[in-house]
Amino acid sequence: MNSHVRLIVLQFFIVLIVFIAQNLFAAEEYSLEDLYGIALERSEQVGISEQNLIIAKRGKDKALSFLLPGVSAFGEYTQYSEEKGVSSGAGRFIIQPKSSSSWGVSIGQSFSLGWQEITNFRISQKTIESNEYDLYTTREAYILRVAESFYDVLQASKAVEIAQENVRRLTKYRDDARIRLQVGEVTKTALLRAEAELSGAQSELIRTENVLNLAQAVLARVVGIEGDFSLKESANTESPSTGDMFYSDELEPLSSLKAEAMRERSELKSNHIQKLIAEEQVRYAKGAYWPTFSVEGGYIKRDEDPSSSFFNDESIYGMLRLGFPLFEGGLRKAEVREAEARKKQADLTYSDLQKKINIEVEGAYLVLKTQRGTLKSIEDQLKFARENYDAVSKQFTFGLANSIDVIDANTLLLESERQLNRAQYNYKLFLLALKRATGTLFKTVTNRQSSVISQNTGEKK
């Protein structure tokens, strides 16, 4: 009885350990939205862009420091080798004491009459805005990269399923050919052809599995995740959303998409600010032609041992200074010409970027439009190919079709499945690419994540 009880207890603990192990080591499941959040937190490229923004903010602090007066204090003590003095009828005068000390404080401000310090401060403010848009651009480009890797894994996973199904079909075809050979309905070449096709399908299955493993490794590197994981397609990626203009029956007009890109693209906003910065830099360079004005005031306290009767132990002073460089070898003229050239360069860069964005939007629009048009026909092709294979396969089983008919039908079905697999995931990726081209991808992702968080919070409540 005791041994029976011990056996039951042992079995209970084994089941408990297996249950705990399954929960501890279960593969983590991620949706595309989950991967967006993880990638933006762990991406080195996004981190570098964030540090650039921090550097720009510190640059503004530095520019502000030149607009504020500087306060300084000093103190010193001097010990001499000996005391020296001069005697006269009026007494003895100290010309070198045994020791002396002094301390003081001063406050001063220096600025250009061309207001270079104010111009530099405005430049620092605009630099922060430019870096904010650059950070937005980096994030948007990175989430598109995450989406590409995500759909590569899903497409590779579906390709494995297609290859497995192909192996199953060819295995059945090989078995049917073997049975028909035994009864003398086909020659041995039919069985050999079936064996060869099955062997090729098994090799293709191994290749697709390796492609899937590589795609998963790339996704893990891009997002920054480790260990086993699986992917799930959310409702937003599985099926069209009627509220999304890109999923509607008719795409937005190309002119509207281009206009939206001109409004929303963060690269264009950043380049516009760079144009303004270039204008400020021309103004800053011209400010060097103006004189520099300085004002300073201070207090000094002195002490000597011994001190003479004419010793001044305390001073309060104020100073005004106006400085103007008369000759600097053409430096100011060269700096102004350089700033004007950079301004022209910024104007040309902005104009060129506008053209590139228009071409990018048009290209993404046409690719998506083409994909929408072919997707339905590929779905119909797959439907007909599957029906054709089922019919030919049954005919072969009953001796009404030959091996070539089966191979042709299977090849057509396999290619149709592959085409539809590529087309479906490419279509979803092209949707995101068009949003990226119009500059609305990151906004769409953040709004969707906020909506999901709100829904989850409401459900918990």
Side-chain angles (χ1 to χ4, degrees), residues 198-253:
L198 177 59
S199 179
Q202 291 170 339
S203 299
E204 179 64 16
L205 175 59
I206 295 174
R207 189 193 69 82
T208 56
E209 288 174 343
N210 291 333
V211 170
L212 174 60
N213 292 333
L214 178 59
Q216 289 175 331
V218 171
L219 177 61
R221 169 63 186 89
V222 170
V223 178
I225 55 180
E226 297 179 354
D228 294 334
F229 63 91
S230 61
L231 302 180
K232 61 179 179 180
E233 294 187 79
S234 63
N236 291 315
T237 59
E238 287 176 343
S239 59
S241 172
T242 55
D244 193 329
M245 71 172 181
F246 295 109
Y247 284 111
S248 59
D249 294 335
E250 293 295 332
L251 290 174
E252 288 288 315

Side-chain angles (χ1 to χ4, degrees), residues 144-364:
L144 181 61
R145 184 181 173 190
V146 171
E148 290 174 350
S149 301
F150 176 82
Y151 286 124
D152 283 345
V153 173
L154 292 181
Q155 185 174 333
S157 179
K158 183 63 176 179
V160 170
E161 295 177 10
I162 293 173
Q164 290 172 341
E165 182 63 20
N166 186 43
V167 170
R168 186 195 64 77
R169 290 195 302 266
L170 291 176
T171 300
K172 180 180 180 301
Y173 164 60
R174 189 271 316 271
D175 294 340
D176 290 342
R178 183 176 294 167
I179 294 172
R180 293 188 63 191
L181 176 63
Q182 292 174 351
V183 298
E185 293 182 359
V186 297
T187 63
K188 191 174 182 179
T189 56
L191 178 60
L192 295 177
R193 177 69 182 271
E195 293 283 3
E197 291 291 337
L198 177 59
S199 179
Q202 291 170 339
S203 299
E204 179 64 16
L205 175 59
I206 295 174
R207 189 193 69 82
T208 56
E209 288 174 343
N210 291 333
V211 170
L212 174 60
N213 292 333
L214 178 59
Q216 289 175 331
V218 171
L219 177 61
R221 169 63 186 89
V222 170
V223 178
I225 55 180
E226 297 179 354
D228 294 334
F229 63 91
S230 61
L231 302 180
K232 61 179 179 180
E233 294 187 79
S234 63
N236 291 315
T237 59
E238 287 176 343
S239 59
S241 172
T242 55
D244 193 329
M245 71 172 181
F246 295 109
Y247 284 111
S248 59
D249 294 335
E250 293 295 332
L251 290 174
E252 288 288 315
L254 181 58
S255 58
S256 299
L257 295 175
K258 288 183 177 181
E260 184 176 33
M262 293 298 105
R263 295 192 308 268
E264 299 293 339
R265 281 293 288 263
S266 54
E267 300 98 315
L268 206 57
K269 295 177 181 179
S270 178
N271 270 261
H272 177 68
I273 294 177
Q274 291 298 325
K275 285 179 56 180
L276 301 179
I277 291 176
E279 294 175 0
E280 295 286 0
Q281 288 173 336
V282 172
R283 194 173 293 112
Y284 181 88
K286 291 181 177 179
Y289 283 102
W290 291 80
T292 301
F293 180 75
S294 302
V295 57
E296 182 179 337
Y299 170 80
I300 301 176
K301 178 68 175 178
R302 304 180 185 87
D303 184 36
E304 287 186 354
D305 182 25
S307 61
S308 65
S309 56
F310 297 101
F311 175 69
N312 180 21
D313 64 345
E314 189 176 52
S315 297
I316 299 176
Y317 70 93
M319 178 188 68
L320 299 176
R321 177 182 296 167
L322 190 66
F324 184 78
L326 297 178
F327 178 74
E328 79 306 327
L331 175 63
R332 288 175 293 177
K333 183 177 180 180
E335 288 179 341
V336 171
R337 295 293 181 267
E338 180 184 6
E340 290 174 343
R342 292 187 182 279
K343 179 183 179 301
K344 181 63 175 178
Q345 189 180 54
D347 293 338
L348 294 173
T349 301
Y350 182 79
S351 177
D352 181 64
L353 183 59
Q354 284 182 313
K355 296 176 182 178
K356 287 181 178 179
I357 289 176
N358 279 326
I359 293 296
E360 184 179 344
V361 172
E362 186 168 355

